[in-house]
Amino acid sequence: MYVLASQQSMSFEMIWLTSFIIMGPLVFLAMRRWRKNAKQVKRANDELNSKKEYYHILTKEKMDNCPREDLATAAIVHVLRKESEDYDNVYNNLNESEKIVYIIYESMLSIDNGKGSIRTFFESDFYKPFFPMIDKAFNAIDCREIGDMMKAARHFQYIIENNIDDEDDDVDLGDYAHYNYGDFTNEFMTLIMTLNVNNRLIDFIDEHRDDFIDEEVEEDENISE
């Protein structure tokens, strides 16, 4: 999955460069396809921006009426807004359900559709408060295979940071004993697709809708009424 995955279109300059190299009818086909893709990307971005604005503040009414296909977007926009409001204290400001969505989103974001690595996630001091719960987060959405892998990756980072030799490490990592970050990243990507993480995350949010309501906003609205 990637809930809120970014989309890129070929630049106009590259289209022209390609036209000089290829020439002929294929150029016009490529141009027509690029224009179609560019319109689709713009339409998708406009729709996403509209949803981000709408779900910026999550009232009870919005969450109660949120269609299933928008639940992940709504929850992620919600937790990222709370992150931006108090970046240094995001861990303490999120409840348990919000932490689960946040850490799953951030760990998946780190691999950047195969262009990144889970190493960037585990080497970040910012995410360290979340490390003890990373396996539990994926277990909570019924992705225990990823939970086990994340537990092993977390220990792998611990070994690196503390310069521990293999013979001195008494933790049994099973099939992950000889994995490096490249292996963990590839395994993560495979499991994301095979386990349909998107759908399981949506199921979790659906079952915990009330945990993503902005309570202070609700209280203010009730007072004003």
Side-chain angles (χ1 to χ4, degrees), residues 15-106:
I15 289 293
W16 278 109
L17 179 59
T18 303
S19 69
F20 283 115
I21 296 175
I22 299 178
M23 304 300 289
L26 289 179
V27 173
F28 299 100
L29 178 61
M31 287 293 291
R32 193 159 54 239
R33 185 176 302 167
W34 176 81
R35 292 182 65 184
K36 180 180 179 181
N37 290 342
K39 289 180 180 179
Q40 291 175 341
V41 170
K42 183 180 185 305
R43 190 181 305 115
N45 285 337
D46 289 344
E47 182 180 351
L48 177 59
N49 288 331
S50 177
K51 289 180 179 180
K52 286 169 65 176
E53 182 177 353
Y54 179 74
Y55 293 121
H56 185 68
I57 299 295
L58 282 183
T59 63
K60 188 177 189 312
E61 181 181 4
K62 286 182 181 179
M63 277 307 282
D64 286 346
N65 297 321
C66 184
R68 176 179 169 80
E69 62 268 20
D70 284 354
L71 281 174
T73 300
I76 291 171
V77 168
H78 167 77
V79 296
L80 292 182
R81 193 208 79 237
K82 295 184 75 170
E83 175 201 61
S84 67
E85 289 175 347
D86 193 356
Y87 187 78
D88 292 332
N89 295 300
V90 61
Y91 180 84
N92 295 324
N93 291 337
L94 299 179
N95 62 38
E96 191 71 10
S97 296
E98 291 169 336
K99 287 176 182 176
I100 288 172
V101 170
Y102 180 78
I103 204 62
I104 289 175
Y105 170 75
E106 292 294 337

Side-chain angles (χ1 to χ4, degrees), residues 172-191:
D172 183 11
L173 297 180
D175 294 338
Y176 299 113
H178 301 291
Y179 268 42
N180 57 35
Y181 270 128
D183 298 323
F184 281 119
T185 299
N186 292 334
E187 181 74 0
F188 191 22
M189 290 179 59
T190 300
L191 289 174

